[in-house]
Amino acid sequence: MTIYNFSAGPAVLPKEVLLQAQAEMLDWHGSGMSVMEMSHRGKEFISIANQAEADLRELMAIPANYKVLFLQGGAHMQFSMIPLNLLRGKLSADYVNTGEWSKKAISEAKKFSYVNVVADNSDKKCSYVPDFKTWKLDKNAAYLHFTPNETIGGVEFNWVPNTGDVPLVADMSSNILSRPVDVWKYGLIYAGAQKNIGPAGLTLVIVRDDLIGHADPRLPTMMDFKTHADNDSMYNTPPTFGIYMAGLVFQWLKRNGGIGVMEQRNIAKADILYGAIDSSDGFYHCPVNVADRSRMNVPFTLRSTELETAFLKQADARGLLQLKGHRSVGGMRASLYNAMPIEGVRALVDFMAEFAQANA
Ligand SMILES: *Cc1c(COP(=O)(O)O)cnc(C)c1O
């Protein structure tokens, strides 16, 4: 039976990448060692890390005045590192609330700063992206933080806020590398690796260099972006195996045509699944405003929790795994990251049609 893993994260990785890692597991390129066993300061690992960074820079067309940092601590650590580094003596930061991850970023920032919530979609159960015309921006804000893709609610921006001189900060944990991004429009982009990049344990930060070096001197060394920027992410031992795996994913993306091609594939996959939901005569329901539906994370519900339980059980038996929605919202959620093949989405919608027919 072919298995398709729809987990929101840690998530599916390209099979080719896993096979390559398997082949290189005991002896990386004739070094006689596994990547896990290498010194992070040795020439072998330095070449792996440099290649990974160069490939990411090429894929995302990252301008030279941006640093790429390979950190740890997940997106959660960035929820505090961002205010601690980017407030730069200012009194307030702007945040957009579009769902669970925005809320977590906001509550952490409130420990360090006044937070101005410029827009909030909780009036409609976090099911839409608030119209930019309604945002109450503060031109003196230290930065504006938003979550381009809400992994739990399935709400995704298909536009980029224009905040003028206020640096734009984005939590791209669940949609980085899924579509082209104009990096120059952002002050900082961050992402936990375990959705669309590689294994858990690695956190990617792309930060404009003028935003580095303004932290309070009492800030712990490890939390200062400058520490990591000045030491090419090797101040301490970085997550070496995660960087290696991310590098293999970047090469896979390049071999497959890059991010523009990925975007076309992701649109096609999302269209198939939303099409199945919308043509089910209400048997399946997606609560998200149509224009703001995520290509990466597709939440949907059935008319009763009993039916949902049956759906999940039967899907599991068919090799369609991890379709349960987040514990905070229930229902179902199918995550369609880059590594999910279109065949997986076809298998899912075939099953959905059968299930709907059997339970109409
Ligand atoms: C998964 C996720 C997080 C949390 O990531 P951790 O690596 O577990 O800290 C934060 N933001 C978004 C948008 C996510 O999808």
Side-chain angles (χ1 to χ4, degrees):
M1 183 170 61
T2 313
I3 297 293
Y4 292 110
N5 172 10
F6 294 92
S7 171
V12 60
L13 287 165
K15 183 163 251 165
E16 275 171 72
V17 164
L18 294 173
L19 288 169
Q20 187 179 349
Q22 180 184 46
E24 295 177 346
M25 183 63 74
L26 299 186
D27 179 8
W28 183 83
H29 294 203
S31 65
M33 286 177 283
S34 165
V35 174
M36 278 180 270
E37 304 168 301
M38 290 174 181
S39 165
H40 59 296
R41 304 197 191 279
K43 67 175 187 321
E44 292 93 348
F45 186 74
I46 298 279
S47 77
I48 290 172
N50 286 347
Q51 189 66 48
E53 177 174 339
D55 288 338
L56 181 70
R57 283 185 176 276
E58 184 182 329
L59 282 164
M60 292 185 71
I62 301 173
N65 63 326
Y66 285 71
K67 293 279 188 206
V68 172
L69 307 178
F70 295 122
L71 307 182
Q72 298 175 68
H76 278 88
M77 179 76 102
Q78 294 311 308
F79 293 164
S80 29
M81 279 178 80
I82 286 161
L84 286 166
N85 283 272
L86 265 50
L87 279 168
R88 294 164 292 141
K90 291 183 183 264
L91 300 176
S92 175
D94 280 357
Y95 276 72
V96 184
N97 178 26
T98 49
E100 296 299 318
W101 291 117
S102 306
K103 286 194 190 98
K104 278 203 148 181
I106 289 168
S107 70
E108 192 67 12
K110 280 182 174 167
K111 294 186 173 186
F112 312 108
S113 172
Y114 178 77
V115 170
N116 171 40
V117 178
V118 304
D120 188 330
N121 66 356
S122 45
D123 58 332
K124 290 186 188 157
K125 294 189 179 162
C126 302
S127 62
Y128 70 103
V129 173
D131 184 348
F132 189 61
K133 289 198 288 289
T134 68
W135 293 21
K136 305 213 164 17
L137 298 167
D138 170 6
K139 64 180 188 318
N140 295 314
Y143 58 88
L144 179 135
H145 179 282
F146 79 118
T147 311
N149 185 62
E150 285 283 358
T151 322
I152 296 173
V155 169
E156 185 171 15
F157 281 73
N158 54 37
W159 48 276
V160 183
N162 181 354
T163 49
D165 290 337
V166 174
L168 190 59
V169 174
D171 176 0
M172 289 195 193
S173 291
S174 52
N175 70 348
I176 192 162
L177 301 172
S178 72
R179 53 163 78 210
V181 168
D182 293 323
V183 175
W184 58 269
K185 290 181 178 166
Y186 296 81
L188 187 149
I189 291 168
Y190 66 102
Q194 69 272 22
K195 276 79 184 236
N196 215 9
I197 301 177
L202 167 68
T203 312
L204 186 68
V205 173
I206 301 166
V207 53
R208 209 173 64 211
D209 55 17
D210 63 286
L211 297 173
I212 299 172
H214 307 284
D216 185 313
R218 290 169 303 178
L219 187 65
T221 309
M222 278 296 289
M223 297 200 71
D224 191 336
F225 288 134
K226 187 169 181 349
T227 305
H228 302 288
D230 287 351
N231 291 281
D232 294 326
S233 305
M234 303 247 186
Y235 175 73
N236 72 321
T237 314
T240 51
F241 198 73
I243 293 170
Y244 159 72
M245 289 294 293
L248 296 186
V249 170
F250 300 154
Q251 299 240 320
W252 175 81
L253 288 167
K254 283 175 61 177
R255 281 200 304 280
N256 284 277
I259 296 183
V261 172
M262 277 304 135
E263 177 180 46
Q264 292 313 312
R265 288 182 42 180
N266 290 330
I267 291 172
K269 289 185 291 179
D271 281 351
I272 292 173
L273 182 49
Y274 286 115
I277 292 169
D278 291 342
S279 62
S280 71
D281 281 332
F283 188 84
Y284 300 104
H285 173 69
C286 172
V288 181
N289 184 35
V290 173
D292 308 319
R293 285 172 165 184
S294 170
R295 293 174 186 163
M296 294 286 101
N297 311 97
V298 181
F300 56 96
T301 55
L302 288 161
R303 66 174 178 267
S304 72
T305 43
E306 290 72 37
L307 210 51
E308 291 178 350
T309 307
F311 179 95
L312 290 169
K313 193 164 166 231
Q314 291 178 33
D316 221 64
R318 296 266 289 249
L320 306 168
L321 307 185
Q322 309 246 40
L323 284 163
K324 200 172 163 55
H326 190 267
R327 58 185 192 283
S328 65
V329 293
M332 261 72 69
R333 173 176 51 172
S335 296
L336 311 180
Y337 300 120
N338 287 342
M340 171 57 64
I342 198 157
E343 294 77 19
V345 187
R346 291 212 182 96
L348 174 59
V349 298
D350 286 350
F351 166 68
M352 287 168 70
E354 273 178 45
F355 187 86
Q357 193 150 40
N359 295 279

